[in-house]
Amino acid sequence: MALPAWREVVVPHRDIREGRFDESTFAVNLADVLADRGPIEYHDPQTFFRKTYPTEGIVRLLSTVLARLAGKGTGEPVIQIQTPFGGGKTHSLVALYHLLTSGADYPDEDLVRRVLQETGVKTIPKARVAVFVGTGADPLKGKTPWGAIAEQLGKYQLLQDHDEGRRTPGKDLLHQLFGDEPVLILMDEIAQYVAKCVDPQKGERAGRAYQTQVLAFMQELTETVKVLPRGALVVTLTSSVPYGEEGERALRDLQRIFGRVEAVYEPVQGDEIYEVIRKRLFEDVGDPAVARRVADSYWELYQRLGSEVPDGVRETGYREKMRRAYPFHPELIDVLFERWSTIPDFQRTRGVLRLLAEVVSDLYRREHSAPLIQTAHVNLANPKVRPKLVNLIGSEYYGVIAADIADTNAKAQRIDRQMGSEYARFAVASGLATSIFLYSFSGSERQGGVGLPQLRVSLLREGIPAPLVGDALHHLEEELWYLHVEAGLYRFTSQPNLNRIIIEREEAVTEEHIRREISDRLEGLAGRELKVYLFPRNSGDIPDTKELKLAVLDSEHATPDFIRELFEKVGSTFRSYKNTIVVLAPDAEALSELYRLVKRFLALRSIKEDKSVMKQLSEENRAGLEAKLKDSEGRISFGLLSAYRRLMKAGAQGIEHFDLGLPTAGVKSTLAKRAYEYLKSQEILLDRISPRKLLEKAMSEGETEKSLTEIYEAFLRYPHLPMLEKKTVLEQAVDQGVREGEFALQIGERLYVREAVPSYNFEEAFLQRHVAPLQPSEQRLQKPAAEPEPTAPTEKARPLEDVVPELDMRIAVPWNKLSDFIRGVLSPLQQEGATIELEIHLQARSQSGIKKATVEHKVKETLKQIGATIKEEKK
């Protein structure tokens, strides 16, 4: 049974569903709550209670304070809440404020009920509550902290002189101010306030006079509240503070003061963050049974993957973790909290909520169909999501995302489109690139990054083939500009990687550089089976000799007119020996690929030769460069032979065209050898000829005698005749034909027939067609002929019973005998006029494994270029 999409199960809050939520929803301000303004989620007590998940830390904090004010406990009188920005400090103060001022009106709300149960208090006591928010207070003209507290408690006159004189009142006046009735003092962001209490224009000592008084008041306040029977002071201190050195100094002073008497509370711990996020983002988290089924499915997938995923996700506890985080995969929330929230400006819980609200809104409106929201699903192309991350790490990463990850022309998305429907459907390459990006940054000095096992977790779910991950990563490594891989960890930086350096070097490679490199390499691949002439510029560059010649053309001269001129002329005169020359020209499509290969090789070589660049490359990049250079070197030889495969020869009806096909991978060859072997396989070039065929080709019906010189010249001159590999091919055929009585040979006055021919002057010999039968007396006088060599059966009209209409065979052929199979099996069948259909069952196994690059870039690329169809592929 298919798993339902998360958006079919849970319901985000309406403002998130509609994409119109206000980010201030996640930025609570205690002063706004006190003034009854700002988002209703904070200033309305009932709404606040309903949207607050009762974490263990917040329940314990509220219970401690309530017990203290109710006179029922020995809870700590002074409490400090210390977390990074956005870690839930102010939210905790708002919870205390609403509990003591309005909690009695909502005893059935989950948070209030839990606190009452924890403390055993039946009713919330009436208590006086005073609030001081450091970020909103004016240290120059506003009331002092003691003046503001006194005013809220209704006893401002008691401290008016001290407030106006900006002098701390001392503990005696503070005891009078608080009395014995329940009183709660909430102080938020006081480090920021203390940092602002310095007037640099008055000098060091005078400028710090008011700050000194504020710090003294804080110490007096903590000591006073400590002995109050029903009083409590709760303050927040961030783990870091703005205002630079002054802020850090203020924070140290306050930590020294409060560190003497306070208890530290952490509002959110461990996996509670999952529940907090679910409560804040969704009005309905759906059926728990569905969450359990989804968690089971993912966990079972991880069991099947085994060591290919991290050990932690295969532990039993991780299944429960996924259930609690639903509809998020815990891996997404963890990477945001463990990495991004350590960046000072991210603001921890608040930052995670803001980002995830945008992610949920984006995926919900795009009808995202996955069972869970995973790291790979974050849409970095969304203009509301991207800035929340990029603004924390530097604007240069806008370009990184656009170039490599998420943009119309981003390379990862292009890979998805190019690699087929499976990639595009699951956004495999772009999803992995997104995950790598999210794992690349943190506030620590330790470099970010993520390994292959964790990347599988970030993307895989039921239905996505696991091998796609490794395959896609290979393409990302090959094509992205800002992706770096070191010690098995993938990460993005703003520095271009080897790929980008290669692209820049490729841009400097000219067409002339490429042509020169190809020319140099073709010289080494020319071969000796035929006399090779590289890149002739005119017909005079190819001599009119009797030896067999191969003219190799560049693309500029591979035109019909130039090729025709090569066969017909030698400079300004006509060519006599037209049947001794063949022409090899490049295939346009393969040549384009060859240019690309050579361009990449020249770029790689220039990098290796540039010592300054090599020094800047990491060890892994240097190793990568060597591997790419070696691979490029190997592919060029194959590319050269693949490109130069269009073979042409003069024929009876004009120029004949042939395709040598792709070379056999891994088998060394040359241009001349490939042309030579092809011509032989098609019986265009003969290394032997039967006497009967010689007679048929060399002499017309009416001719009875012809000189061997004239016959040999005919084979060299006339394109309708086969090409002879050497002059000896003709001599051997003549010797055999004379012995067998196919024809006679006249040398001077002597006529040789049905006998061996001694050595003779080729130019003085004549072939005679008709041989008279021997008379008995001649037979007696005739010298015994040498034993005739066995010859092929004479071709005759074939009886019907010697013909088969169809041949259907299943054959196991040794892989290294394929060329023999083509020459000895397929070619004869083709010459019989048969239509051949060939289907190959390929099985290749290797104990060490076959590289995917070999399969993709050599095997499949070759099959693609020869027009083969892969009917079935088993992985």
Side-chain angles (χ1 to χ4, degrees):
M1 183 177 178
L3 298 175
W6 63 268
R7 60 183 176 79
E8 297 171 356
V9 181
V10 303
V11 181
H13 288 301
R14 182 174 179 180
D15 55 347
I16 293 176
R17 292 198 307 269
E18 297 175 356
R20 56 176 182 79
F21 64 91
D22 186 348
E23 289 192 3
S24 65
T25 301
F26 304 116
V28 58
N29 186 298
L30 189 56
D32 288 343
V33 173
L34 192 65
D36 197 27
R37 63 176 181 249
I40 191 173
E41 286 84 355
Y42 292 110
H43 71 73
D44 178 69
Q46 187 174 25
T47 304
F48 177 83
F49 289 140
R50 287 182 177 176
K51 286 199 171 185
T52 298
Y53 176 75
T55 66
E56 182 178 330
I58 204 165
V59 169
R60 188 164 68 91
L61 171 65
L62 269 59
S63 299
T64 299
V65 172
L66 180 59
R68 179 87 183 172
L69 299 184
K72 288 198 61 175
T74 57
E76 297 87 351
V78 179
I79 296 173
Q80 178 199 150
I81 305 173
Q82 182 172 352
T83 68
F85 279 122
K89 304 178 303 300
T90 304
H91 195 94
S92 300
L93 296 186
V94 173
L96 283 168
Y97 178 81
H98 283 316
L99 178 71
L100 271 301
T101 58
S102 306
D105 298 331
Y106 306 103
D108 295 329
E109 292 297 337
D110 193 22
L111 179 59
V112 179
R113 181 175 50 79
R114 288 276 304 276
V115 172
L116 290 174
Q117 289 176 351
E118 185 80 14
T119 58
V121 175
K122 293 184 179 181
T123 59
I124 296 174
K126 292 183 178 181
R128 294 176 298 159
V129 180
V131 175
F132 182 79
V133 180
T135 52
D138 181 357
L140 181 62
K141 298 181 179 179
K143 284 187 170 57
T144 62
W146 49 92
I149 292 172
E151 183 177 52
Q152 291 176 56
L153 296 179
K155 294 184 178 181
Y156 179 70
Q157 290 183 341
L158 180 65
L159 301 185
Q160 183 174 0
D161 291 343
H162 293 79
D163 179 51
E164 294 174 352
R166 310 187 86 72
R167 292 292 184 269
T168 183
K171 290 188 287 185
D172 289 343
L173 284 176
L174 290 178
H175 275 291
Q176 294 180 44
L177 177 65
F178 298 141
D180 295 330
E181 295 301 314
V183 61
L184 173 63
I185 310 299
L186 302 175
M187 305 188 77
D188 195 19
E189 313 288 16
I190 55 174
Q192 286 91 323
Y193 183 79
V194 172
K196 294 188 294 183
C197 290
V198 178
D199 186 350
Q201 296 180 350
K202 295 182 178 180
E204 176 65 21
R205 185 170 181 178
R208 294 188 180 278
Y210 178 52
Q211 185 187 66
T212 302
Q213 293 297 309
V214 172
L215 291 171
F217 167 72
M218 295 298 177
Q219 184 160 336
E220 294 167 359
L221 179 63
T222 58
E223 294 173 356
T224 301
V225 173
K226 184 178 179 181
V227 298
L228 293 179
R230 302 179 69 183
L233 166 65
V234 182
V235 299
T236 65
L237 290 177
T238 56
S239 58
S240 61
V241 71
Y243 310 119
E245 184 178 339
E246 197 59 59
E248 295 297 331
R249 176 175 177 173
L251 182 59
R252 286 196 303 272
D253 289 339
L254 289 168
Q255 287 172 335
R256 186 170 59 253
I257 293 169
F258 286 100
R260 299 169 56 202
V261 293
E262 102 294 320
V264 178
Y265 280 72
E266 190 174 347
V268 182
Q269 297 179 1
D271 292 351
E272 288 180 331
I273 188 60
Y274 304 141
E275 299 289 356
V276 171
I277 291 172
R278 280 159 40 108
K279 192 86 170 178
R280 296 300 303 279
L281 300 183
F282 301 98
E283 63 184 40
D284 182 358
V285 293
D287 185 354
V290 175
R292 191 159 40 249
R293 186 157 64 91
V294 172
D296 288 346
S297 174
Y298 276 77
W299 189 76
E300 288 164 5
L301 170 64
Y302 300 150
Q303 301 309 306
R304 293 196 300 273
L305 290 172
S307 60
E308 292 186 354
V309 294
D311 294 339
V313 303
R314 291 184 284 128
E315 294 176 356
T316 305
Y318 200 78
R319 176 162 48 183
E320 178 62 18
K321 192 173 185 178
M322 286 190 286
R323 186 197 64 77
R324 293 188 69 182
Y326 183 84
F328 296 102
H329 195 296
E331 181 249 359
L332 170 58
I333 298 175
D334 290 350
V335 73
L336 294 178
F337 263 94
E338 294 171 6
R339 303 213 179 193
W340 287 86
S341 73
T342 61
I343 299 174
D345 292 338
F346 190 74
Q347 299 189 335
R348 203 166 173 77
T349 306
R350 187 184 309 158
V352 172
L353 285 170
R354 284 173 169 170
L355 178 63
L356 290 181
E358 294 288 6
V359 170
V360 170
S361 178
D362 173 72
L363 295 177
Y364 187 87
R365 285 181 289 142
R366 290 195 293 120
E367 299 184 349
H368 186 234
S369 60
L372 290 179
I373 302 173
Q374 295 171 259
T375 307
H377 302 152
V378 176
N379 182 14
L380 294 177
N382 187 302
K384 292 185 177 179
V385 173
R386 179 160 44 184
K388 286 180 171 51
L389 299 171
V390 174
N391 292 346
L392 299 170
I393 55 178
S395 60
E396 63 271 21
Y397 283 98
Y398 281 109
V400 173
I401 293 174
D404 280 359
I405 307 170
D407 201 288
T408 307
N409 297 314
K411 295 173 185 61
Q413 294 186 340
R414 189 175 67 228
I415 291 170
D416 282 330
R417 292 192 296 269
Q418 292 174 345
M419 295 306 295
S421 58
E422 289 289 286
Y423 274 77
R425 177 185 171 195
F426 299 116
V428 176
S430 52
L432 288 171
T434 298
S435 298
I436 294 169
F437 181 84
L438 291 174
Y439 273 97
S440 296
F441 305 96
S442 71
S444 67
E445 295 182 1
R446 179 175 62 91
Q447 282 188 343
V450 59
L452 176 55
Q454 192 66 48
L455 284 173
R456 291 192 179 100
V457 176
S458 76
L459 175 83
L460 290 179
R461 62 178 189 268
E462 287 294 348
I464 301 181
L468 290 185
V469 174
D471 189 47
L473 281 173
H474 170 74
H475 287 287
L476 293 174
E477 288 182 54
E478 289 294 314
E479 298 186 32
L480 269 56
W481 284 358
Y482 298 97
L483 176 64
H484 297 261
V485 188
E486 295 182 23
L489 295 180
Y490 296 83
R491 67 187 180 97
F492 280 102
T493 76
S494 59
Q495 297 300 312
N497 60 16
L498 183 58
N499 295 335
R500 177 60 186 272
I501 298 172
I502 292 171
I503 295 298
E504 291 174 346
R505 290 302 175 100
E506 282 185 342
E507 291 173 352
V509 176
T510 66
E511 290 264 338
E512 180 57 32
H513 290 143
I514 296 172
R515 284 195 294 268
R516 192 183 308 132
E517 182 70 20
I518 289 176
S519 178
D520 291 344
R521 287 177 175 270
L522 284 176
E523 286 186 14
L525 279 176
R528 297 181 178 180
E529 288 76 6
L530 304 172
K531 177 66 174 177
V532 179
Y533 293 87
L534 287 177
F535 301 155
R537 293 292 181 263
N538 56 70
S539 59
D541 291 342
I542 311 296
D544 193 16
T545 59
K546 296 180 180 181
E547 65 180 340
L548 299 181
K549 299 171 284 293
L550 176 65
V552 181
L553 307 184
D554 57 23
S555 57
E556 180 183 350
H557 289 81
T559 63
D561 289 342
F562 184 74
I563 294 169
R564 191 178 302 110
E565 183 181 343
L566 287 181
F567 287 122
E568 294 178 354
K569 290 192 173 184
V570 184
S572 59
T573 62
F574 287 100
R575 185 177 295 277
S576 298
Y577 300 121
K578 296 179 182 179
N579 208 33
T580 63
I581 179 173
V582 288
V583 173
L584 193 62
D587 175 80
E589 186 176 342
L591 184 65
S592 176
E593 174 64 14
L594 174 62
Y595 267 55
R596 188 190 66 79
L597 287 174
V598 173
K599 190 174 190 177
R600 171 59 58 92
F601 170 78
L602 293 174
L604 292 170
R605 189 172 68 185
S606 74
I607 295 171
K608 185 177 180 181
E609 292 172 353
D610 191 328
K611 294 181 179 179
S612 63
V613 172
M614 290 296 289
K615 286 181 181 178
Q616 297 173 15
L617 293 179
S618 66
E619 183 177 342
E620 199 141 350
N621 271 335
R622 286 196 294 271
L625 175 64
E626 290 291 346
K628 288 177 185 290
L629 197 55
K630 183 178 179 180
D631 178 66
S632 181
E633 178 80 47
R635 293 173 68 186
I636 286 178
S637 295
F638 185 85
L640 284 164
L641 296 177
S642 300
Y644 284 84
R645 67 172 192 252
R646 286 180 51 216
L647 189 67
M648 284 154 282
K649 175 189 177 298
Q653 304 300 322
I655 297 174
E656 297 176 341
H657 297 261
F658 309 94
D659 191 332
L660 301 183
L662 292 177
T664 304
V667 177
K668 291 185 177 181
S669 190
T670 64
L671 300 175
K673 184 178 181 181
R674 273 172 47 83
Y676 170 79
E677 290 179 346
Y678 181 85
L679 292 170
K680 285 186 65 175
S681 71
Q682 301 300 309
E683 296 188 358
I684 298 170
L685 173 64
L686 304 179
D687 60 359
R688 58 178 296 179
I689 186 171
S690 69
R692 178 163 296 185
K693 191 169 185 179
L694 173 62
L695 198 61
E696 174 189 324
K697 296 291 184 181
M699 298 178 69
S700 63
E701 288 290 335
E703 287 183 305
T704 60
E705 184 180 273
K706 183 178 285 189
S707 72
L708 292 190
T709 299
E710 188 178 354
I711 292 173
Y712 182 49
E713 286 283 316
F715 277 103
L716 298 176
R717 291 171 180 270
Y718 304 127
H720 69 279
L721 294 176
M723 303 172 72
L724 299 184
E725 182 176 349
K726 298 176 182 177
K727 185 178 179 180
T728 55
V729 174
L730 175 59
E731 293 172 340
Q732 290 169 359
V734 169
D735 290 347
Q736 181 183 345
V738 171
R739 288 197 312 270
E740 295 174 356
E742 288 288 342
F743 42 72
L745 186 66
Q746 180 78 42
I747 304 175
E749 299 296 326
R750 178 78 158 86
L751 181 67
Y752 292 89
V753 61
R754 293 190 180 92
E755 61 182 309
V757 181
S759 60
Y760 58 91
N761 189 336
F762 190 86
E763 286 73 17
E764 296 177 355
F766 291 82
L767 197 68
Q768 291 191 0
R769 173 185 289 277
H770 299 294
V771 179
L774 292 175
Q775 300 299 321
S777 60
E778 291 178 316
Q779 292 177 7
R780 287 194 301 270
L781 295 173
Q782 185 74 46
K783 291 174 62 179
E787 188 69 25
E789 295 182 10
T791 60
T794 305
E795 294 182 7
K796 298 178 181 179
R798 293 175 292 187
L800 187 61
E801 60 267 22
D802 289 344
V803 177
V804 292
E806 182 176 330
L807 186 63
D808 192 338
M809 305 173 73
R810 187 178 181 189
I811 308 165
V813 181
W815 70 269
N816 57 349
K817 298 293 184 181
L818 282 178
S819 59
D820 296 329
F821 176 75
I822 293 170
R823 183 173 63 254
V825 178
L826 299 185
S827 292
L829 291 174
Q830 185 186 39
Q831 292 165 16
E832 290 283 338
T835 300
I836 300 174
E837 292 184 10
L838 184 66
E839 189 170 304
I840 298 175
H841 180 201
L842 172 64
Q843 284 187 321
R845 296 184 178 90
S846 171
Q847 291 183 348
S848 59
I850 302 170
K851 293 181 180 178
K852 290 184 177 179
T854 300
V855 175
E856 294 297 330
H857 300 308
K858 293 185 179 178
V859 177
K860 289 188 177 180
E861 182 62 26
T862 299
L863 292 174
K864 178 180 177 183
Q865 290 188 20
I866 66 175
T869 302
I870 300 176
K871 293 188 175 181
E872 181 182 5
E873 181 179 3
K874 296 179 181 179
K875 294 188 178 180

